[in-house]
Amino acid sequence: MNLQQLRYICAVERQGLSISLAAASLHTSQPGVSKQIHLLEEELGVRIFERSGKRLIGVTAPGRIILAQAKEVLRDVQNIKQVGTEFTNEITGSLSIATTHTQARYTLPKAIKKFTQRYPQVNLHIHQGNPTQIAAMVEQGEADIGIATEALARHQGLVVLPCYQWNRCVVAPPGHPVLKEKPLTLKALARYPIVTYDFAFAGRSLINQAFEAKGLKPNIVLTALDSDVIKTYVELGLGVGLLARMAFEPARDKNLRMVDAAHLFAASTTYIAVRRGMFLRGYWYAFIELFAPHLTRAAVDKALQTPSPL
Amino acid sequence: MNLQQLRYICAVERQGLSISLAAASLHTSQPGVSKQIHLLEEELGVRIFERSGKRLIGVTAPGRIILAQAKEVLRDVQNIKQVGTEFTNEITGSLSIATTHTQARYTLPKAIKKFTQRYPQVNLHIHQGNPTQIAAMVEQGEADIGIATEALARHQGLVVLPCYQWNRCVVAPPGHPVLKEKPLTLKALARYPIVTYDFAFAGRSLINQAFEAKGLKPNIVLTALDSDVIKTYVELGLGVGLLARMAFEPARDKNLRMVDAAHLFAASTTYIAVRRGMFLRGYWYAFIELFAPHLTRAAVDKALQTPSPL
DNA sequence: GACGCTTACGTTCGTCGTAACTATT
DNA sequence: AATAGTTACGACGAACGTAAGCGTC
């Protein structure tokens, strides 16, 4: 067995069970890949891929396990290479962040700006997704760091660090009657059509819980995947918006008025997550600290439970 | 980078930073090992080992991380090979269990007997140690399964499953006054010299807590690493023994009398642990179920959170 | 001077690419 | 007939072992 063979089987799976595509993606010849896979299967004594004659049509039961382990191996190998570059070249590399719209749009920019100034040679990638996708991306090694409010903590393979707490607010066009409800109550809110986040997002379950606890049924007329869509429809007069406090910017949102709703719903916590056992480049720590100043390198290392031997 | 290079650096570390010994242990030539290590260091751009001239005298900071990751890789590769043998040859292989004296001596034998009858071709190893050592062995991959009452749950890298609960008992030579204390109380017990487990073991902390809660200071005259030593010294009249209920066997321990102490101390739970992300051979599941019948394959898989795709 | 690591060199084996072949759709 | 995978073969390169060299202790 060698690393190349593991790369080959992973590529074949990734390319939809095509040896030709896998070979192309790895810039090598198709017969080479074919042969190495056969050699590996022979050595292990099991077929990894199901075949119909000569075509690959699926993954066998042992193949699924082997592929999962092979990915682990390749990730760790990647980690070892990272260690090399970290110690020879601290300031170059890449950082791939998976996050939600709200974070990407309203809370990350400040940290990103400082980061790119300080590490201009780091290649930064930001992937947008819902919390479940984000957790999966970090767990699979497709993203280095995940930032989201939900779902992260449920994953065993992730180390999750709390960043900050936030509350919700209600927005409406100027003159809307909800703005005169003082103090604003859930009961009052339930009388208006509501525009808020999709269920997969940002503590949406907390919103439902708060209404349910009072025996109220909110009239949710539109659920969106991001704060900007919510604001757009509120401006159109579709209803009152219920969104993250940090997503309201008085300077920009001149067509809207905001009422704090911190007293109506439980606060949500935004977390940052990295894969357990991952080697963290120095600038990863730097980014985390820029985003959440209390998460110093020491604090992160402690949470990783495997104190960095640096 | 290739797997051989990773095997080499791990062997060098394991053999106490000796390239010659590492080469010997891997049945290869010493110059080959030397060269591959240099090639790896060159490729990564960092020194893994500290050198004084030509001798290895230590591990560098990046080297420590690289070695840790390399061990991960080799474990996963081992796992892949296991998958092969599991599917071609379900009944042969090896199983390495790390456990404490009390488990090895009193609770495991029944399961082991059934297991060896059912899987005569499985090579069984039992390593004895204290709970901390057991957790470390499983986490490092030196043992496949760990069984102990403490310490396991604190390790992130382990999946821990509860097996059974047990209580303590007091033993003393026939005619000893403690046997007439009815009902037996902590206060009464505190009047006698006590022989019990070392602090690293078997809920020893629970014993201290129970006494402390009543403001009592037990007179512990001897702490032992195993139940047999405790019984031996109790037979010699050194004091009363406080040990696990299952460690008292009326048929064997004819020179001792036992009083149940379940009402005096909180019950302890014995756990079984495997490394997270490990591929479990079929007979591992069988062993676990023989030891703790409620831990069926389905129950174990569920706890592993990564449902076996078998 | 003995031990331990490195360099040098030649052989062997494994890997990869091209080309021809075969099977599936 | 076209597409996808396998077999065959030859060239290159990597890895290993032996032998000699060099630096430490």
Side-chain angles (χ1 to χ4, degrees):
Chain A
M1 187 188 321
N2 58 44
L3 293 174
Q4 202 71 325
Q5 292 170 335
L6 301 183
R7 284 192 199 100
Y8 286 174
I9 59 171
C10 287
V12 167
E13 191 201 26
R14 196 171 339 112
Q15 301 292 334
L17 300 176
S18 162
I19 292 186
S20 322
L21 289 178
S25 80
L26 294 164
H27 310 294
T28 183
S29 74
Q30 183 259 21
V33 175
S34 176
K35 186 169 185 193
Q36 289 304 317
I37 292 177
H38 279 272
L39 282 173
L40 178 60
E41 290 184 324
E42 194 184 336
E43 179 183 344
L44 296 177
V46 287
R47 313 231 85 171
I48 294 169
F49 298 105
E50 306 237 21
R51 291 172 172 80
S52 150
K54 292 189 169 181
R55 312 233 163 170
L56 307 192
I57 55 165
V59 178
T60 64
R64 276 194 291 279
I65 309 172
I66 291 168
L67 280 164
Q69 294 285 339
K71 284 178 209 157
E72 278 279 332
V73 169
L74 297 179
R75 256 198 304 268
D76 287 332
V77 166
Q78 198 51 41
N79 256 348
I80 291 178
K81 290 185 180 164
Q82 291 263 28
V83 176
T85 39
E86 172 68 15
F87 280 81
T88 50
N89 196 341
E90 292 188 7
I91 57 162
T92 70
S94 71
L95 176 62
S96 155
I97 302 169
T99 187
T100 58
H101 168 87
T102 306
Q103 304 300 329
R105 175 78 179 69
Y106 297 102
T107 66
L108 273 175
K110 224 176 77 186
I112 297 280
K113 192 179 170 193
K114 282 191 206 152
F115 182 81
T116 49
Q117 277 169 2
R118 181 131 167 239
Y119 297 94
Q121 298 195 64
V122 171
N123 232 310
L124 199 63
H125 301 268
I126 300 186
H127 303 277
Q128 205 174 314
N130 69 42
T132 313
Q133 293 169 328
I134 291 167
M137 286 185 76
V138 177
E139 209 163 27
Q140 309 285 313
E142 289 162 40
D144 301 325
I145 288 177
I147 302 175
T149 299
E150 298 211 333
L152 296 181
R154 285 197 292 277
H155 288 251
Q156 288 281 5
L158 302 180
V159 177
V160 172
L161 306 157
C163 294
Y164 61 90
Q165 287 209 320
W166 52 270
N167 283 292
R168 284 159 192 75
C169 68
V170 166
V171 296
H176 192 285
V178 78
L179 301 172
K180 298 198 184 80
E181 307 268 6
K182 287 188 181 166
L184 183 62
T185 61
L186 286 173
K187 200 174 163 193
L189 204 53
R191 282 200 298 270
Y192 302 96
I194 293 174
V195 181
T196 191
Y197 298 103
D198 184 80
F199 202 81
F201 276 84
R204 166 63 195 280
S205 47
L206 287 177
I207 295 177
N208 286 38
Q209 279 164 28
F211 281 109
E212 268 174 37
K214 299 250 175 185
L216 297 167
K217 279 200 185 152
N219 173 24
I220 294 175
V221 294
L222 191 150
T223 62
L225 296 176
D226 68 77
S227 313
D228 290 327
V229 169
I230 296 173
K231 290 193 282 193
T232 304
Y233 283 92
V234 171
E235 287 178 17
L236 290 177
L238 205 73
V240 302
L242 183 52
L243 45 73
R245 177 68 185 77
M246 65 262 189
F248 181 79
E249 297 170 307
R252 264 179 214 270
D253 301 321
K254 293 196 187 300
N255 300 325
L256 292 173
R257 296 294 176 270
M258 187 270 282
V259 182
D260 192 50
H263 57 296
L264 300 181
F265 306 98
S268 284
T269 306
T270 292
Y271 295 94
I272 198 161
V274 295
R275 225 182 95 78
R276 196 179 290 288
M278 203 70 178
F279 169 68
L280 274 62
R281 298 283 314 256
Y283 57 78
W284 294 22
Y285 288 102
F287 174 80
I288 292 172
E289 191 168 352
L290 281 173
F291 183 65
H294 67 286
L295 294 176
T296 58
R297 182 171 191 138
V300 174
D301 277 338
K302 199 178 161 197
L304 287 173
Q305 208 76 355
T306 33
S308 165
L310 277 174
Chain B
M1 187 188 322
N2 57 45
L3 293 175
Q4 201 72 324
Q5 293 170 334
L6 301 183
R7 283 190 200 103
Y8 287 174
I9 59 171
C10 288
V12 167
E13 192 201 26
R14 196 169 341 111
Q15 301 292 333
L17 300 176
S18 162
I19 293 186
S20 322
L21 290 177
S25 80
L26 294 164
H27 309 293
T28 184
S29 75
Q30 181 260 17
V33 175
S34 175
K35 186 170 186 191
Q36 289 304 316
I37 292 176
H38 279 271
L39 282 173
L40 178 61
E41 290 185 324
E42 194 184 336
E43 179 182 346
L44 296 176
V46 288
R47 312 232 85 170
I48 295 170
F49 297 106
E50 306 239 21
R51 292 171 173 79
S52 152
K54 294 190 168 179
R55 312 230 163 172
L56 307 192
I57 55 162
V59 178
T60 63
R64 276 194 291 276
I65 309 172
I66 291 168
L67 280 164
Q69 295 285 340
K71 284 178 209 157
E72 278 279 333
V73 169
L74 297 180
R75 255 197 304 267
D76 287 332
V77 166
Q78 198 51 42
N79 256 349
I80 292 178
K81 291 187 180 162
Q82 291 263 27
V83 177
T85 40
E86 173 68 16
F87 280 82
T88 50
N89 197 341
E90 292 188 6
I91 57 161
T92 69
S94 69
L95 176 60
S96 152
I97 302 168
T99 188
T100 57
H101 168 86
T102 306
Q103 305 299 330
R105 174 79 179 71
Y106 298 102
T107 66
L108 274 175
K110 224 176 79 186
I112 297 280
K113 192 180 170 192
K114 281 190 206 152
F115 182 81
T116 50
Q117 277 168 4
R118 183 132 165 239
Y119 297 94
Q121 298 194 64
V122 171
N123 231 309
L124 200 63
H125 301 269
I126 300 186
H127 303 277
Q128 203 173 317
N130 69 42
T132 314
Q133 293 169 327
I134 291 167
M137 287 186 75
V138 176
E139 210 163 26
Q140 309 285 312
E142 290 162 40
D144 301 323
I145 289 178
I147 302 175
T149 298
E150 299 211 332
L152 297 180
R154 286 197 292 278
H155 288 251
Q156 289 281 6
L158 303 181
V159 178
V160 172
L161 306 156
C163 294
Y164 62 89
Q165 287 209 319
W166 52 270
N167 283 293
R168 286 160 191 74
C169 68
V170 167
V171 295
H176 191 284
V178 77
L179 301 171
K180 298 198 184 80
E181 306 270 3
K182 286 186 181 166
L184 182 63
T185 62
L186 286 173
K187 200 175 161 191
L189 205 52
R191 283 200 297 269
Y192 302 97
I194 293 174
V195 181
T196 191
Y197 299 103
D198 184 79
F199 203 80
F201 276 85
R204 166 62 195 282
S205 48
L206 288 176
I207 294 177
N208 286 36
Q209 278 165 28
F211 280 109
E212 267 174 38
K214 299 251 174 183
L216 297 167
K217 279 202 185 147
N219 172 25
I220 294 175
V221 293
L222 191 151
T223 62
L225 296 175
D226 67 77
S227 312
D228 290 328
V229 169
I230 295 173
K231 291 194 282 192
T232 304
Y233 282 92
V234 172
E235 287 178 17
L236 290 177
L238 204 72
V240 303
L242 184 53
L243 44 75
R245 177 69 185 76
M246 65 263 190
F248 181 79
E249 298 171 305
R252 264 178 214 271
D253 301 322
K254 292 197 188 300
N255 300 326
L256 292 173
R257 297 292 176 272
M258 186 270 283
V259 182
D260 193 49
H263 57 296
L264 301 181
F265 306 98
S268 285
T269 306
T270 292
Y271 294 94
I272 200 161
V274 294
R275 225 181 96 79
R276 198 179 290 287
M278 204 69 181
F279 169 69
L280 274 62
R281 298 284 314 257
Y283 57 77
W284 295 21
Y285 289 100
F287 175 79
I288 292 172
E289 190 168 352
L290 281 173
F291 183 64
H294 67 286
L295 294 176
T296 59
R297 182 171 192 139
V300 174
D301 277 338
K302 200 179 162 197
L304 287 173
Q305 209 77 0
T306 34
S308 165
L310 276 175

